[in-house]
Every structure is written in C-alpha cells, then in structure tokens.
Amino acid sequence: QIILPSTVKVLGLDTFEYLPEYLTLDIGDCVAMNTEYTFVNYEWSRIKVAKTNSKYKSISNMVLTKDGKSLVKAFGQCDKLTVPNGVQTIKENAFLSIQANKLIVPSSVNKIQAGRHNFHRNIMRNYIKNVSVSKDNAVYGKLENSIYKKSNKQLVLLCNEKQTIIIPEGIKIVRDFCCNGYSNYECNPLYIKRIEIPKSVTEYKYTVRCSKNATVVFKSKKCPKLGYPLFMNISSSKLTVYVPRGCTKKYKKGLKDNIGKKTTMIEQE
C-alpha cells in the first residue's frame, strides 16, 4: 500500500504512473494539491480516507467529496454500484477502477463529466454491464445499455462489449462518453472491431483506434456530421464501411478525410 502523510502539500501528476495496478492508497488526512487526480487516474483496489479528512470521505467502495456532492472514485468489485443519493457530479473516470455488473444513478446526479482533457478518456476499466437511472432524474435517462442526456439525446455512457461501439437507436449526438476498454490509452488502447451508428445519430465525433479488419455500419440515409479524426490508425487498417443503398456518394464525401486507401464501401438494404 501507499501511505500519504498529511504533511505533503503537492503531488506530481505522474507520481504513481509506473506502480503496479490495484494497490491500496491510504491518504489519511492528506489534502495535497492534485490528490483528486491521483484518485481518478489510477487503478487502486482500495482507498482509505481518515474520518478527520477535511476534503474527502469514503462510503463503501467509493470516495466522495466531504459534502457528498461529488463522486470522485469507485473501486474494487461489487454486483451493484449504487451512487449515493445527494451526489450531483460524477467526476471524469470515476469508474476507472470498478468492476460491477450494474451501475445505479440516482435523481440527484446532474453532471457526468466527460473525459475530453483526460489521459484515459473516461474509460470504465473493468466492465460495467448494465445501467439504471432514476425515473425522477431531470437531466439523464437510460436507453438500452446506455445513459444519455435528455435535453439533446447526447450519449454519456455506453455499456459496450470490448472492441465494439454499438450506439442505441434514439441517440442523436455522440462525442465524448464513458465506455468499456483498457486503462492506458497509449499503451493498451481500445482497438475497435465493429462500430454501428443508427439512423437517429445526427453528429458523430468520437475518435477510436481500429483493429486491422474493422467494420463501420452507418444506418441513416443522411450522412451525420462527422468529426476528425474518427480513426487514429486508418492507414494501417483495412476498414469496411457499410452504408444504405444509394448513399455511397454522400458518405464518400462525408468521410473523405477519415478513410484510407484500404477502405472498402459497401451498400446494403
């Protein structure tokens, strides 16, 4: 285990980068600058927090801010991970160290942070299989195996099987979202074998690394607004893109900056 003394005032951002995974972190009363970063970005099996800590507290297998309004980290293994009622914000990569069959989100949660500026990009390290959102939640809802924002139907969290990104019908916007994958984005990236984008999606701007023979399926006759880059290693991948009948021309135009010479486009009903 790692024990932090209360005298420490600042933690370097990469202090624990090369430690083995799943150690115990005992922060005691420590409230050093960047402690929260240490919580979020490393795969601790257990985190101990002193009851006298002025900034954080621990409930079951979770670390929360002292006021109980932010979930900073969940860790370990459990059947159901129930976010405590009263939590308003779920911090980015709060689920990096958790292995749970089901995630339960209460009505109080009004912000699930995206991982746009984060090294791990909101990866759920150990596979959350299903989700449940309180019917009284005014901001978020559940659609199949995902959480979405009610105001604009934007995807927030997807309980995908590894190496697949299958967006549920009804989602309109896909940007940064939580998904199941590996923890280290550069060394062990989530290589995607199959992506399915339904008719309802009007904007798709999510970057992945493709496996050598990846498949992308577009189901809408209207090409969504696409980001760049969609595929980080397109030059070394043999991508097969399926589009609706009669839509090859418009998808070639929409994807012109995102497909390589090895890409094959196929029309289907």
Side-chain angles (χ1 to χ4, degrees), residues 90-96 103 105 111-116 120-125 128 131 140 145-148 154-161 164-168 174-181 190 206:
I90 295 176
K91 295 286 188 179
E92 57 184 358
N93 294 320
F95 306 128
L96 181 63
L103 169 66
V105 178
K111 187 174 184 180
I112 300 176
Q113 292 184 343
R116 184 181 305 170
H120 296 283
R121 297 183 63 82
N122 262 25
I123 292 297
M124 300 186 295
R125 177 63 172 86
I128 294 176
V131 290
Y140 298 106
N145 60 335
S146 72
I147 294 176
Y148 70 96
Q154 181 176 339
L155 182 63
V156 174
L157 183 149
L158 180 68
C159 294
N160 60 303
E161 294 184 9
T164 64
I165 299 290
I166 299 175
I167 311 298
V174 180
R175 294 178 192 143
D176 292 294
F177 61 92
C178 299
C179 67
N180 289 301
L190 176 60
Y206 189 71

Side-chain angles (χ1 to χ4, degrees), residues 52 71 98 110 114 162 197 201 206 212 221 228-229 244 261:
T52 50
L71 171 61
I98 187 69
N110 55 38
K162 286 184 179 178
I197 304 169
V201 170
Y206 189 71
K212 264 193 172 180
K221 290 186 176 181
Y228 176 84
K261 295 179 181 179

